[in-house]
Amino acid sequence: MPQKLFKEPVRIAEKYPAGQEGDLKKKYMVCTNWLLSEEPLDVETELALGFLDHLLLGTPASPLRRILLESGLGEAIVGGGVEDELLQPQFSIGLKGVSEDNIEKVEELVMQILKNLAEEGFAPEAVEASMNTIEFSLRENNTGSFPRGLSLMLRSMGKWIYDMDPFEPLKYEQPLQQLKARIAEKGSKAVFSPLIEKYILNNVHRVTVEMQPDPEKASRDEAAEKEILKQVKSSMTQEDLAELARATKELKDKQETPDPPEALKAVPSLSLQDIPKKPIHVPIEVGEINGVKVLQHDLFTNDVVYSEVVFDMGSMKKEHLQLLPLFCQSLLEMGTKDMDFVQLNQLIGRKTGGISVYPLTSSIKGKEDPLTRVVVRGKAMSTRVEDLFHLDELSSSRCSVHRTTEVQAVCFPK
């Protein structure tokens, strides 16, 4: 049954097991949580809250995430933002690694940030970036190595297990267009500010959970558990103990007994005949542009262009290799000479489906020196290819000082 909304906010303080190392006074955690509605929300409102969640927390440049981390009140974000997989959606946000003196300051800062955003709205660039990022994700439906069919089924489960339409979460096109039309007609502030006010600021079903570090809690809990088990055992007769041993053995035997052939046959499985004898052929066209080797793959990608630009970092000194991961992270999180990292993140979100930079290091058989590369990976709709490569150039320009060779691999949509 749905949980009724509280009439007033609730505060809970509990202890959690913590190690002895470090300053215990700086190991507090605090998280503020809201139950957003007594009843399941309609699809468009759910989608709008998803966009709001991305605006608040989705990127390092998102205001709620950024301001909390830059405040110095804690070490890291806790709380997953909007969670809508249960019957009633919720919103959670907080910090861990908080000093005891700063617990209330975290809660006050969260409320102040949300109040400011409700009053002032979000930057148009941030709204455009979130809209593009989420729409791209919905249309691409890229589940990586995770089975796509299983991903769709799990997406349906949030409605299915409550006897609602399992296809509703998959039909995003109409509510997406309706939401975009509302934003285009009324402006983003008229859409998102009422959501912040209704579901968060003016929602008294707010639970603030404070977790206090206690290095003795784990041992106390273990001792209490042993005492409970001791009392349970002392209250049992010899017949009870014998029955418990028998039931345990029966369970273990069932777990270790192989399933009968008729049960195994009921499980769908692939046969050798279902597996193609010939390997899947990936078309490849090798070319060159301005002295750079280019590999092109003409594949069905649902009108998405995928690009990888690979830089040879072999000229780097070995003692600098350990800095490559930090260097790659800094390319997207420290901005450029013309824009700060917030503007860069928003530009990437507005124009592409995402850009990532990562190191690739491997030993080479028979050679002492390792293979070292930096890979700049990006994706965008085919109509945004020029924007994608311009941003790739911005992100990778700092690699050029080490570059000796460069390979660019591109998947073009059919």
Side-chain angles (χ1 to χ4, degrees):
M1 296 297 292
Q3 180 183 354
K4 295 293 184 182
L5 296 182
F6 294 165
K7 301 297 184 184
E8 58 185 18
V10 173
R11 190 173 194 90
I12 297 172
E14 294 286 350
K15 298 184 183 297
Y16 77 94
Q20 295 280 4
E21 57 282 347
D23 187 355
L24 290 178
K25 292 183 178 180
K26 295 182 179 180
K27 287 188 175 182
Y28 283 72
M29 293 185 272
V30 59
C31 189
T32 305
N33 317 269
W34 288 264
L35 189 67
L36 302 185
S37 173
E38 286 188 356
E39 301 296 332
L41 301 173
D42 60 83
V43 181
E44 188 177 342
T45 302
E46 279 189 343
L47 188 63
L49 284 172
F51 278 105
L52 176 62
D53 183 52
H54 190 271
L55 282 165
L56 292 170
L57 296 164
T59 72
S62 298
L64 184 55
R65 173 182 292 276
R66 178 176 55 82
I67 296 173
L68 279 175
L69 290 176
E70 290 178 354
S71 70
L73 295 176
E75 295 177 353
I77 297 287
V78 294
V82 173
E83 296 287 349
D84 57 3
E85 293 183 351
L86 299 178
L87 182 62
Q88 294 168 269
Q90 61 230 335
F91 181 81
S92 303
I93 184 64
L95 288 172
K96 67 178 181 179
V98 179
S99 296
E100 184 178 6
D101 298 338
N102 290 333
I103 292 292
E104 291 187 5
K105 293 179 183 178
V106 173
E107 187 177 7
E108 291 170 359
L109 181 59
V110 166
M111 299 301 291
Q112 188 59 53
I113 296 169
L114 292 168
K115 183 179 179 181
N116 291 344
L117 290 170
E119 293 175 352
E120 300 169 9
F122 296 91
E125 296 82 4
V127 175
E128 184 185 354
S130 287
M131 294 291 291
N132 181 70
T133 299
I134 295 180
E135 182 176 1
F136 190 98
S137 176
L138 290 170
R139 295 192 184 284
E140 183 188 32
N141 194 28
N142 184 1
T143 60
S145 60
F146 194 78
R148 187 168 296 185
L150 186 57
S151 173
L152 293 172
M153 188 201 75
L154 292 173
R155 199 184 302 172
S156 296
M157 291 295 285
K159 301 293 183 183
W160 202 350
I161 58 175
Y162 298 113
D163 295 326
M164 292 184 279
D165 183 1
F167 294 101
E168 187 178 272
L170 309 181
K171 298 176 180 178
Y172 64 84
E173 186 66 44
Q174 183 176 349
L176 176 63
Q177 295 305 325
Q178 290 173 343
L179 179 61
K180 290 172 71 175
R182 283 177 56 207
I183 293 175
E185 179 185 355
K186 301 179 181 179
S188 62
K189 184 179 178 182
V191 173
F192 294 115
S193 291
L195 293 178
I196 298 175
E197 292 169 352
K198 177 180 179 180
Y199 292 107
I200 301 179
L201 293 177
N202 299 332
N203 179 3
V204 293
H205 191 117
R206 183 173 81 244
V207 180
T208 300
V209 180
E210 175 187 335
M211 299 301 291
Q212 305 166 348
D214 184 352
E216 309 298 331
K217 180 172 173 54
S219 57
R220 287 201 309 271
D221 288 348
E222 185 178 357
E225 183 181 19
K226 287 181 178 179
E227 180 62 28
I228 291 172
L229 292 174
K230 182 180 178 181
Q231 292 176 7
V232 170
K233 185 176 181 180
S234 65
S235 68
M236 298 173 72
T237 64
Q238 289 299 319
E239 291 77 10
D240 293 334
L241 292 171
E243 172 58 23
L244 181 60
R246 185 204 63 76
T248 302
K249 184 178 184 305
E250 180 183 359
L251 173 61
K252 189 174 182 180
D253 289 343
K254 283 186 176 181
Q255 291 173 331
E256 295 177 349
T257 301
D259 292 315
E262 57 270 21
L264 293 174
K265 287 181 180 179
V267 179
S269 60
L270 294 175
S271 67
L272 283 176
Q273 287 70 34
D274 296 312
I275 303 173
K277 291 184 178 180
K278 295 183 179 180
I280 297 174
H281 174 69
V282 177
I284 182 171
E285 181 182 332
V286 182
E288 189 174 294
I289 299 176
N290 296 330
V292 177
K293 188 177 182 180
V294 178
L295 311 179
Q296 297 187 30
H297 308 282
D298 188 11
L299 298 165
F300 174 75
T301 59
N302 208 18
D303 208 31
V304 178
V305 173
Y306 297 89
S307 168
E308 285 189 351
V309 183
V310 183
F311 295 92
D312 184 352
M313 308 294 281
S315 61
M316 284 188 67
K317 295 180 180 180
K318 289 182 181 179
E319 58 266 28
H320 292 163
L321 289 179
Q322 61 183 340
L323 298 175
L324 262 186
L326 180 62
F327 172 70
C328 291
Q329 184 179 354
S330 71
L331 289 178
L332 294 177
E333 295 190 10
M334 293 184 65
T336 70
K337 66 178 182 179
D338 298 318
M339 61 184 81
D340 59 30
F341 94 98
V342 174
Q343 294 170 318
L344 179 60
N345 271 267
Q346 289 177 350
L347 187 59
I348 291 173
R350 282 157 48 203
K351 304 296 185 182
T352 76
I355 293 176
S356 60
V357 187
Y358 62 93
L360 177 64
T361 306
S362 174
S363 58
I364 305 175
K365 185 177 180 180
K367 293 187 178 182
E368 182 179 346
D369 294 329
L371 177 146
T372 310
R373 303 285 188 269
V374 165
V375 182
V376 181
R377 176 179 288 177
K379 56 187 176 181
M381 302 305 295
S382 60
T383 55
R384 296 280 198 178
V385 171
E386 188 175 340
D387 294 317
L388 172 64
F389 285 117
H390 176 62
L391 281 162
D392 271 347
E393 183 181 348
L394 282 176
S395 300
S396 59
S397 60
R398 296 176 221 177
C399 298
S400 59
V401 293
H402 299 289
R403 181 177 61 203
T404 55
T405 61
E406 178 183 40
V407 177
Q408 189 166 44
V410 187
C411 285
F412 283 102
K414 284 187 175 179

